[in-house]
Structures are given as structure tokens and as C-alpha cells.
Amino acid sequence: MARKKVKLAWIANDSTRKVTFKKRKRGLIKKVSELATLCDVKACLILYGTQDQHPSVWPSFQEAARVLNEFRSMPEMEQCKKMMNQEDFLFLRIAKLQEQFRKQDRENRELETSLLMYEGLAGRSLHDVGIEDATSLSWMVEMKTQLVYDRMEHLRKENLASREVEPKMHVPQTVATEKTPMQVAMEELQRQNWFMEVGSTSDQKVKFGSGDEVLPPYNGHCSPWLDPYFPLN
């Protein structure tokens, strides 16, 4: 079962106030003890009660006096670095709440303007819109339009960048050169089987009778189609 939220106000009933003070004092001492143990910090607690003749001190008078003397020996700037009284705490709390209120009010205004813009796109007449709402609507339309233009420009740059990164296909180009008569004749000879056979046996020895003799070098030809390429002297 959830605990009932306690109203932070002065308790008028004396007995109730005393009981609450004792409970909260024990809880406060427990919290300070846990903080000193868990975080290994030097801490002390001095608590004055309206009905007590002596203040409640934790952990002891000697330890509390040592911590206070160490604190007072520090420079004044260090002492006041994170110090805050009740008035400063309230001012800080009020400033935070005001900032939260302004932020929430700005979000509500943006939602109302967006709703008005969508209603206008749906066909609602905007003749009855006030000057403040019209100004907010104009600002939102310009902002949305600029976002669309920025998105289009971003996509266009990405498209151009992707085209530049794509590897270009390298197509080798062959340059046609005119063949000489000698090259044409040699290609024609290579297509003839008898020429390849003769060339393979040109350097071999041929037997005639009982001895081996070398064929004499070939000085002429008997093919008339070679005349244009090998004219006789």
C-alpha cells in the first residue's frame, strides 16, 4: 500500500509534533551514518530541539568538533562553494520550476500551431485566427518548408557523390593499323599446312643413299601468288 503524502507544513498539535521530531531525527542520523560509511566522507550532525536542553550530536562531540575545525580552516571560497541556505534553495527551486513552465508552454504552443496548420491544410478557413496564432503559423510553415528544401539538397548531394564514386568501365580501344605486304604474306603462309611442315624440316638432315647430307639453301620459289610480295631480281 502506498504511503500517504505528508503535507509540508508546521504541525500545530504538540504531541504529534514531538513524535514526528523524534522519528525524523532518528531517520536523519541514520542517513548521515549511511552516507559516511558508503561514500567514506567526513560528516557530523548537530541537531537542536525545542524541548531538548542539549543538542543531539553525531557521531560524538569530539568528532563533530574535529570536522567543524577542519571545515573552518579551509579558504572562504572553498567553504561557500556548495553551501546553500534555505533562501538560496528556494530561489533555485523557483528558477527551475519557471524554466520547466516556459518549456512546457513552448511545447504546448508548438502543438497548437501544428494542429492549426493541419486544419488549414484540411480546408479550414483561417480568417478568424488572431495575430499571435497567425505569426506562429507563419513561422512554423517557413520552418517546415526550409526542412523540406534542406532534405532535398541533402539527397541531391548524396546522388552526385554516389555517381562520382561509381567506377567507370574501361573499354580498351583498338587502333587499326595497316598491315605491310610482308605481314600479309606471312599470315597467309601460316595458314598453309605445307609451309609449316617445310619449316619444321628445314633444319633437319635428309638421307641420300648411304650418307647423310644437308639440303642446300632454298633460293627460289615456284608459287605465282607470292610474286607480288617477293619479286625476282
Side-chain angles (χ1 to χ4, degrees):
M1 184 175 178
R3 296 177 59 183
K4 185 179 179 181
K5 187 176 181 180
V6 179
K7 183 179 179 180
L8 295 179
W10 183 73
I11 302 175
N13 189 281
D14 293 339
S15 59
T16 305
R17 188 171 60 252
K18 291 179 181 179
V19 172
T20 303
F21 175 77
K22 292 180 179 180
K23 290 181 178 180
R24 295 301 178 95
K25 183 177 69 172
R26 288 196 299 268
L28 185 60
I29 293 175
K30 182 180 178 181
K31 292 296 183 183
V32 176
S33 175
E34 292 175 354
L35 178 65
T37 302
L38 296 175
C39 302
D40 192 19
V41 295
K42 300 176 182 179
C44 65
L45 175 64
I46 302 176
L47 186 61
Y48 288 88
T50 57
Q51 303 296 328
D52 297 336
Q53 296 181 357
H54 302 285
S56 300
V57 181
W58 182 91
S60 62
F61 284 95
Q62 294 79 8
E63 184 66 19
R66 190 184 65 80
V67 173
L68 288 177
N69 292 332
E70 185 176 354
F71 173 75
R72 290 172 181 173
S73 63
M74 297 173 61
E76 186 176 357
M77 292 297 296
E78 292 293 331
Q79 292 182 17
C80 302
K81 188 175 181 180
K82 296 183 180 180
M83 186 180 295
M84 185 178 298
N85 54 23
Q86 186 176 6
E87 183 179 2
D88 295 337
F89 173 77
L90 292 177
F91 276 121
L92 182 62
R93 184 63 177 169
I94 291 173
K96 289 183 178 180
L97 292 176
Q98 288 177 347
E99 181 62 25
Q100 292 178 3
F101 173 77
R102 285 192 293 267
K103 182 179 179 181
Q104 189 63 45
D105 182 66
R106 183 167 56 252
E107 292 178 356
N108 293 339
R109 291 290 302 170
E110 290 180 359
L111 291 175
E112 292 175 357
T113 306
S114 299
L115 180 60
L116 181 62
M117 180 181 65
Y118 292 136
E119 290 178 352
L121 293 174
R124 173 191 168 182
S125 177
L126 301 178
H127 294 289
D128 58 341
V129 176
I131 183 64
E132 185 177 356
D133 294 337
T135 303
S136 300
L137 180 60
S138 175
W139 169 80
M140 178 162 288
V141 170
E142 291 180 359
M143 182 186 67
K144 299 292 186 181
T145 306
Q146 186 62 39
L147 290 176
V148 173
Y149 285 145
D150 294 342
R151 181 59 179 171
M152 293 172 61
E153 182 66 18
H154 178 69
L155 293 176
R156 186 185 68 83
K157 291 181 179 180
E158 284 186 350
N159 190 16
L160 292 177
S162 62
R163 290 182 180 179
E164 294 177 358
V165 171
E166 289 179 357
K168 298 181 179 180
M169 297 298 294
H170 178 70
V171 179
Q173 298 180 356
T174 57
V175 180
T177 57
E178 186 177 358
K179 297 181 181 181
T180 62
M182 179 65 71
Q183 292 176 345
V184 175
M186 293 303 297
E187 290 179 359
E188 188 65 26
L189 287 174
Q190 290 176 359
R191 286 194 289 267
Q192 302 294 329
N193 295 331
W194 64 268
F195 178 78
M196 299 303 294
E197 294 175 357
V198 172
S200 62
T201 59
S202 60
D203 296 335
Q204 297 178 358
K205 293 182 179 181
V206 182
K207 294 182 179 180
F208 291 93
S210 60
D212 294 338
E213 296 181 0
V214 179
L215 290 174
Y218 184 76
N219 295 326
H221 63 83
C222 58
S223 298
W225 62 272
L226 291 176
D227 292 341
Y229 306 105
F230 297 97
L232 295 175
N233 294 328

